[in-house]
Amino acid sequence: MTAELFREDSTLRECEARITVVDATGIQLDRTVFYPQGGGQAGDAGVLCLTDGVEVRIVDTRKGAQPGEIVHLPAPDADLSALQVGTAVTARIDWQRRHRHMRFHTATHLLCALVPHPVDGCSITADYARLDFHMTEPLDKETLTQGLARLVAESHAVTHRWISEAELDANPSLVRSMSVQPPRGQGRVRVMQVEDVDLQPCGGTHVANTAEIGPVIVTKIEKKSAKTRRVVLGFAEPA
Ligand SMILES: [Zn+2]
């Protein structure tokens, strides 16, 4: 089990850790700030820094084969010869990239509030975010962009708390997503709240206030199928 420091504090950029596994599948640590791909959000990239200054570049982070495992994927050309179980490292994420994930991810929660239909697909990257809504009605690009701008400008606080699985079962309407069910089996589920706007189970990383999202626009609306409308978001400022 890797301690998931990003679940309690998504603003952590680095942490001290020790290697618990290093093999052909990748590198595991006793604790990490690297978010593993999941819930539609891309995995983190960054570096593992050894005490002698050597840096191992991490290009992606995935969940492992066993529950609770987080695997840091080294660059194909990385030299892993100095890495052993027990080796101390500083694990540091590419914060610029992650912060874009957090801004887009929080924006998708705002979109959920503007489009009150079930979500049946989601993808969050550093360059765009897209949400697929299970619905037949048309959506208007300009109206949604204006709605997002309003919610960003209103500076709503974004917080998380943990609720029991029993509490979740008693409130099935909390689950907005049809394809992504909250992770089960730990007895508790993480719930994200955008004050006065949105409440749903979510394990991803978010900014602390909607104002931190900055200018975001709807770049595309697609009819993916008879019952699916895809909304694509981009940042208004250049990358
Ligand atoms: Zn979320």
Side-chain angles (χ1 to χ4, degrees):
M1 280 289 278
T2 307
E4 304 177 339
L5 304 186
F6 52 86
R7 299 263 189 231
E8 288 302 332
D9 185 357
S10 61
T11 66
L12 291 175
R13 303 179 189 201
E14 64 177 53
C15 71
E16 305 302 314
R18 287 195 183 271
I19 293 174
T20 56
V21 175
V22 51
D23 61 20
T25 64
I27 302 159
Q28 295 182 41
L29 305 173
D30 59 347
R31 57 214 294 271
T32 192
V33 293
F34 280 69
Y35 179 82
Q37 181 188 61
Q41 183 177 328
D44 279 327
V47 288
L48 302 183
C49 306
L50 285 90
T51 49
D52 61 4
V54 169
E55 294 192 350
V56 175
R57 197 159 60 88
I58 301 299
V59 293
D60 200 357
T61 310
R62 299 294 173 90
K63 289 175 183 162
Q66 301 299 320
E69 284 184 357
I70 294 178
V71 183
H72 306 74
L73 306 182
D77 60 352
D79 178 8
L80 307 183
S81 57
L83 305 189
Q84 296 172 2
V85 171
T87 300
V89 298
T90 300
R92 182 180 303 138
I93 56 171
D94 177 342
W95 174 252
Q96 237 185 342
R97 180 171 177 274
R98 155 72 92 68
H99 192 240
R100 291 172 74 89
H101 295 169
M102 289 162 59
R103 290 166 62 203
F104 268 139
H105 190 136
T106 310
T108 64
H109 284 260
L110 304 186
L111 200 56
C112 282
L114 296 170
V115 184
H117 292 278
V119 173
D120 63 7
C122 172
S123 180
I124 294 154
T125 74
D127 300 317
Y128 67 88
R130 62 173 167 76
L131 271 186
D132 294 339
F133 291 98
H134 187 76
M135 62 188 293
T136 54
E137 300 87 338
L139 286 169
D140 182 62
K141 215 161 118 174
E142 204 44 46
T143 307
L144 287 181
T145 292
Q146 285 170 11
L148 289 170
R150 175 177 55 83
L151 292 170
V152 167
E154 284 172 355
S155 302
H156 298 275
V158 182
T159 54
H160 77 270
R161 61 189 168 91
W162 296 88
I163 65 171
S164 69
E165 288 180 1
E167 195 181 335
L168 184 68
D169 291 336
N171 299 279
S173 62
L174 277 178
V175 181
R176 286 292 309 264
S177 174
M178 298 166 72
S179 63
V180 185
Q181 286 293 318
R184 293 287 189 138
Q186 295 177 316
R188 60 179 198 161
V189 171
R190 189 164 174 272
V191 179
M192 288 308 305
Q193 178 165 28
V194 182
E195 196 178 26
D196 303 325
V197 177
D198 183 59
L199 177 71
Q200 60 178 301
C202 184
T205 61
H206 310 78
V207 293
N209 188 291
T210 60
E212 200 180 331
I213 296 171
V216 62
I217 52 173
V218 176
T219 56
K220 206 192 299 186
I221 292 177
E222 287 177 89
K223 185 176 175 180
K224 287 304 285 180
S225 73
K227 290 186 175 166
T228 306
R229 297 291 177 276
R230 170 168 291 182
V231 181
V232 185
L233 302 179
F235 290 129
E237 84 272 13

